[in-house]
Amino acid sequence: MGGFNSIVKLFMPKDRVFYSLFEDVAANLVEMGKVLVELVETKDMDIRKDKVHLIERLEHKNDDYTHRIFVELGQNFITPFDREDIHYLASTLDDVADYIHGSAKRIDMYKVTNINDSVRKLADLINQGVQELARAIPELRNMSNMRVITDACVKINSLENHADDIYDRAIADLFDQESNAVELIKMREIYQALEIATDKCEDSANVIETIIIKYA
């Protein structure tokens, strides 16, 4: 099937390849979000280790897609929308992947045995955010269903606000309850990486909104 897809892409009008690549990125992010939730839900350290490795592999896959988008951008005179918007959308989506990976890596490196509710809630919000991005991105192909795109972007905005609230409360509780400075720093870094992932989802949604305002 992969070979057939490559042949199809070969004969596709050159500007159409961007849509396929962005859809590949979105599907990969959905997978990363799902694995992140599975990682924070399990207490089994071996399973958790496997999930961290899987997220790492998916993040490398995402880097490859992003690199291909930039290569296409360098080679194609015709693009479906502004070059800087393509560049910015690819960068922000890549940031989402980086911060999902960064969160997972920190949970693993810092040997967090007891994953609390705040971490689970933030992971769930990231998961919802990438699913909304995956709803919006395929609609950029023909822009006939604007409602789906705008609804997804509004939802991402609201998820990010929710994540801010959870993050603020988690940090306040941490300073209130954690007397061990090392543990405090570890948890704060994990919260930060998770919260930034939701910020980056919102950045991606903002680029998508910019694109539809210009081309609708």
Side-chain angles (χ1 to χ4, degrees), residues 121 171 198:
K121 282 178 189 163
I171 292 291
T198 66

Side-chain angles (χ1 to χ4, degrees), residues 173-196:
D173 289 347
L174 189 61
F175 279 96
D176 201 31
Q177 296 160 11
E178 184 56 76
S179 53
N180 181 326
V182 173
E183 289 305 311
L184 189 147
I185 290 165
K186 286 178 181 179
M187 286 312 298
R188 188 177 63 176
E189 280 201 16
I190 291 166
Y191 291 146
Q192 280 175 339
L194 290 162
E195 198 274 328
I196 293 170

Side-chain angles (χ1 to χ4, degrees), residues 4-5 34 45 49 67-68 107 137 149 163 210:
F4 178 70
N5 278 343
K34 181 168 89 53
M45 297 306 269
K49 199 75 148 166
H67 176 69
R68 283 170 59 196
I107 290 168
I137 285 169
I149 303 178
T210 302

Side-chain angles (χ1 to χ4, degrees), residues 39-46 48 113-115 120:
L39 187 158
V40 300
E41 292 292 345
T42 185
K43 289 182 167 64
D44 185 314
M45 297 306 269
D46 290 333
R48 199 183 288 173
T113 45
N114 185 25
I115 290 178
R120 282 195 289 271

Side-chain angles (χ1 to χ4, degrees), residues 49-141:
K49 199 75 148 166
D50 288 344
K51 301 290 179 193
V52 172
H53 290 322
L54 178 51
I55 285 175
E56 193 164 344
R57 289 198 297 277
L58 291 165
E59 197 267 333
H60 290 324
K61 197 169 159 187
N62 211 74
D63 284 342
D64 290 342
Y65 289 140
T66 307
H67 176 69
R68 283 170 59 196
I69 291 169
F70 291 151
V71 167
E72 288 292 339
L73 209 46
Q75 292 175 348
N76 286 359
F77 291 115
I78 301 166
T79 57
F81 27 85
D82 281 356
R83 307 177 79 80
E84 52 269 32
D85 290 335
I86 291 174
H87 192 283
Y88 193 35
L89 183 55
S91 300
T92 53
L93 291 168
D94 191 48
D95 287 341
V96 176
D98 285 346
Y99 281 98
I100 291 175
H101 177 225
S103 309
K105 199 165 64 174
R106 283 172 177 81
I107 290 168
D108 181 46
M109 279 189 327
Y110 299 158
K111 299 179 175 56
V112 180
T113 45
N114 185 25
I115 290 178
N116 62 32
D117 264 357
S118 299
V119 171
R120 282 195 289 271
K121 282 178 189 163
L122 287 168
D124 181 54
L125 291 170
I126 292 167
N127 188 37
Q128 289 183 58
V130 293
Q131 285 178 26
E132 292 301 322
L133 285 172
R135 275 200 324 136
I137 285 169
E139 297 298 333
L140 292 174
R141 265 184 192 271

